[in-house]
Amino acid sequence: MKLTIEGIKNTAEWEEKGYSLPKFDRASVEAATKANPFWIHFGAGNIFRAFQANVVQELLNKGVLDRGLVVAEGYDYEIIEKMYRPHDNIGALVTLKSSGSVEKTVVGSIMEALAADSENEKDWARLCEIFRSPSLQMVTFTITEKGYLLRNAAGVSMPGVEDDFAAGPVLPKSYIGKVVTLLHERYVNAELPVAMVSMDNCSHNGDKLYAAVNEFAKEWENRGVCKPGFLDYVNNASKVSFPWTMIDKITPRPDAKIEKILADDGIEQLEPVITSKKTYVAPFVNAEECQYLVIEDNFPNGRPELEKAGLYFTDRATVDKVEKMKVCTCLNPLHTFLAVSGCLLGYTLIADEMKDPDLLRLVKRLGYEEGLPVVVDPGIIKPRDFIDEVVNIRIPNPFMPDTPQRIACDTSQKLSIRFGETIKGYLARPNELKISDLKVIPLVFALWLRYLTGIGDDGKPFELSPDPLLDECRKFVPDNIDSLLHRKDIFGVDLYDAGLAKAVSDYFARLNSGKGSVRNVLKEL
């Protein structure tokens, strides 16, 4: 049994071992896709393989779609060369159920996999051809938030950007330079319409993509290195759109336990590849069962009926509400609480923390009692249903190998959004909500300050996760935390002005009073 076109032909053998297989005629779908591509995706990583590719397969199986996906990788070309092509673009998706069972799917909806490398003549020529195609409706991205940056935090241009500004749409080097060069191909070819859709897990992601594309177009027009009118094309919403989206699905690194399950079934050649850029890829992906993709319905060239596979299409304001529901109250704040408390208590798996009665009670109190009162119901997803799923299915999933140490990364950058917005919601409605009723949110702030000491509740040192403000903030603990509590950039509000500084200080003093003090405070609350 091999994950190749030839290897999956013996359908009975695969189905006998519990695998769902592609149920469409691959040859005809591949021919139709190459003749009239409708969707190209940039970013050949795990989230794409577990989510978007599986959605397209579901719709191909139902007969809703007659064409598949094209994927392009613009950062690490070895993913295409060493993983996609040897397996004929076919992979296995193992969905990790909270019940402890697994669902196994062979995903074969990707018809072409290309290196977005302007020095690769064959692949680059094909990419240009795809962007010139009138049939192309959507260009999507999961390239991480960093992928849209043209400059680093110090204001220095990212590699290749200045060269691409100067050269114009010819043999680009930077990731965004490649994307905008291909979009320029579409402009030159009759100003064809298209939707440029970021599906990365960051706020107002469409704006981030637009800002990068627009800056390139402006530079090229100003320097006279592109066809005149390109900037107007990029800014004409009837030609090029940049919808907002909210995506939510956890796809951890391919896990050795999952590899063993597949190998025991008889699948060969499952060995992962670690590329020269340190990307870890395998012929399979493992992911949680829950998933959400909410998309602003703004597609100048039309779009496929992806709602028939559970995706949501709505207006921009609703996308924003769903994102705030997730990031500010119903999911991300719970993760951050579990991250800092888990590190202090010596946990190495988020799912195990949900078996801790003290942590479970406080997670529920944080979400249901303190967070839900300020959530604006987006209408398409009920906030209580969402948080029920988070608390009862997603976080406790024993198969999900997510760690508090990973989630504790960059906590100083997360607190203002994940908790500051809720505090602002309370302050804005003093007649209905009392800031003094917030107990767990100030505790989370105090736990983070206690975390910065680098000493666990057992009195032993532990390694702190990366954070850009780590060294700066550690100077204030344990003896001068008052200075930090004024920092709006960290907490979203001045905690003194908000009336929460004393609660944070009192918690911190108790959390920092010796071995076992963290557990004692959690238990008491």
Side-chain angles (χ1 to χ4, degrees):
M1 296 170 69
K2 293 181 181 179
L3 289 164
T4 60
I5 292 172
E6 192 63 34
I8 64 171
K9 282 184 176 177
N10 187 351
T11 57
E13 184 178 19
W14 287 85
E15 288 172 352
E16 184 185 335
K17 294 182 177 177
Y19 289 83
S20 296
L21 293 167
K23 295 178 173 62
F24 50 88
D25 181 84
R26 183 182 173 91
S28 63
V29 169
E30 183 173 351
T33 304
K34 289 183 175 179
N36 293 292
F38 76 100
W39 181 355
I40 183 168
H41 183 88
F42 285 85
N46 292 336
I47 183 71
F48 163 71
R49 295 163 69 200
F51 199 167
Q52 289 90 344
N54 195 42
V55 161
V56 171
Q57 171 142 312
E58 182 181 337
L59 295 176
L60 284 167
N61 286 343
K62 290 178 178 178
V64 174
L65 293 177
D66 60 359
R67 289 165 293 168
L69 279 159
V70 181
V71 67
E73 174 55 43
Y75 171 69
D76 194 340
Y77 313 132
E78 289 179 52
I79 297 173
I80 302 297
E81 297 159 5
K82 295 183 177 180
M83 188 53 61
Y84 276 80
R85 286 177 179 161
H87 293 278
D88 299 330
N89 306 329
I90 290 171
L93 165 61
V94 180
T95 302
L96 311 173
K97 302 272 192 174
S98 57
S99 63
S101 63
V102 298
E103 184 179 278
K104 300 175 290 190
T105 307
V106 174
V107 179
S109 61
I110 303 164
M111 299 297 135
E112 288 187 88
L114 303 164
D117 175 8
S118 61
E119 295 182 1
N120 182 325
E121 291 184 14
K122 183 179 178 183
D123 283 16
W124 188 252
R126 176 59 183 153
L127 284 167
C128 291
E129 184 180 25
I130 289 168
F131 270 79
R132 288 192 296 266
S133 174
S135 62
L136 185 65
Q137 295 176 313
M138 52 195 289
V139 182
T140 59
F141 301 83
T142 50
I143 61 175
T144 78
E145 187 170 1
K146 294 176 183 175
Y148 306 106
L149 295 178
L150 302 186
R151 296 169 194 80
N152 63 20
V156 177
S157 293
M158 301 298 281
V161 168
E162 288 299 331
D163 289 342
D164 290 349
F165 280 168
V170 181
L171 300 179
K173 300 175 182 177
S174 66
Y175 208 134
I176 294 297
K178 297 168 191 175
V179 170
V180 186
T181 297
L182 292 167
L183 187 60
H184 185 265
E185 280 288 321
R186 195 161 183 79
Y187 167 64
V188 170
N189 193 51
E191 301 184 26
L192 293 168
V194 73
M196 305 288 284
V197 191
S198 170
M199 293 181 173
D200 274 297
N201 185 20
C202 54
S203 179
H204 302 171
N205 45 22
D207 288 354
K208 289 178 169 60
L209 175 58
Y210 164 75
V213 171
N214 184 63
E215 184 168 347
F216 257 93
K218 190 178 291 184
E219 284 286 340
W220 286 352
E221 287 255 355
N222 289 341
R223 299 181 189 215
V225 293
C226 68
K227 182 180 177 182
F230 181 51
L231 181 62
D232 289 340
Y233 169 74
V234 166
N235 284 277
N236 182 344
S238 69
K239 295 289 187 180
V240 184
S241 67
F242 296 87
W244 290 5
T245 68
M246 191 290 294
I247 191 167
D248 187 16
K249 186 177 182 72
I250 300 172
T251 53
R253 188 171 109 160
D255 190 84
K257 295 190 292 292
I258 305 306
E259 182 180 346
K260 185 177 187 307
I261 290 172
L262 302 181
D264 289 347
D265 285 340
I267 301 180
E268 304 169 45
Q269 298 174 354
L270 288 170
E271 296 77 16
V273 169
I274 300 175
T275 71
S276 58
K277 290 188 174 179
K278 308 302 181 188
T279 307
Y280 185 101
V281 287
F284 66 93
V285 289
N286 37 243
E288 67 170 334
E289 60 194 294
C290 304
Q291 60 186 33
Y292 297 89
L293 183 49
V294 182
I295 305 172
E296 178 188 353
D297 199 354
N298 186 5
F299 291 79
N301 201 29
R303 64 168 176 82
E305 295 180 287
L306 301 180
E307 61 268 38
K308 291 186 176 179
L311 275 57
Y312 298 86
F313 288 88
T314 184
D315 55 39
R316 176 168 286 198
T318 303
V319 175
D320 195 41
K321 289 174 187 174
V322 174
E323 186 196 0
K324 284 187 167 68
M325 177 188 74
K326 170 200 164 191
V327 173
C328 302
T329 47
C330 294
L331 174 60
N332 296 30
L334 313 188
H335 261 155
T336 291
F337 164 69
L338 290 169
V340 292
S341 56
C343 290
L344 287 166
L345 295 174
Y347 280 102
T348 56
L349 201 62
I350 287 287
D352 287 344
E353 292 189 68
M354 295 297 279
K355 300 172 189 172
D356 185 316
D358 298 329
L359 296 178
L360 178 59
R361 289 191 191 102
L362 290 171
V363 158
K364 289 181 176 179
R365 187 167 174 181
L366 175 61
Y368 290 102
E369 296 179 28
E370 299 190 4
L372 273 183
V374 299
V375 173
V376 177
D377 189 339
I380 60 173
I381 301 169
K382 292 182 179 178
R384 181 167 286 273
D385 291 349
F386 186 88
I387 200 169
D388 282 347
E389 189 176 62
V390 166
V391 170
N392 299 318
I393 297 175
R394 300 182 68 182
I395 301 179
N397 189 334
F399 260 130
M400 294 302 294
D402 219 345
T403 68
Q405 291 74 23
R406 184 191 75 81
I407 296 171
C409 292
D410 304 331
T411 300
S412 71
Q413 312 296 292
K414 299 172 179 175
L415 296 174
S416 64
I417 297 296
R418 298 186 178 189
F419 302 98
E421 294 304 308
T422 296
I423 295 170
K424 291 174 187 175
Y426 274 72
L427 293 172
R429 294 157 59 187
N431 296 330
E432 305 165 59
L433 301 170
K434 294 181 180 178
I435 200 80
S436 59
D437 287 342
L438 295 177
K439 305 297 183 186
V440 186
I441 287 178
L443 173 66
V444 177
F445 294 158
L447 283 165
W448 176 62
L449 296 170
R450 173 68 176 77
Y451 163 90
L452 291 175
T453 67
I455 304 297
D457 200 32
D458 58 3
K460 298 175 182 177
F462 65 88
E463 184 178 352
L464 294 168
S465 301
D467 188 314
L469 294 184
L470 193 61
D471 293 338
E472 179 184 342
C473 291
R474 291 195 73 192
K475 295 173 184 175
F476 297 96
V477 294
D479 300 322
N480 190 24
I481 65 165
D482 290 355
S483 299
L484 279 179
L485 302 186
H486 285 290
R487 294 277 295 266
K488 292 182 182 180
D489 61 320
I490 293 177
F491 300 105
V493 294
D494 182 320
L495 292 176
Y496 282 92
D497 293 344
L500 288 173
K502 186 177 187 306
V504 176
S505 297
D506 290 348
Y507 278 135
F508 179 72
R510 292 164 60 195
L511 292 166
N512 209 40
S513 60
K515 273 188 192 180
S517 58
V518 173
R519 173 60 69 182
N520 290 339
V521 172
L522 294 172
K523 191 176 290 293
E524 287 169 21
L525 187 60

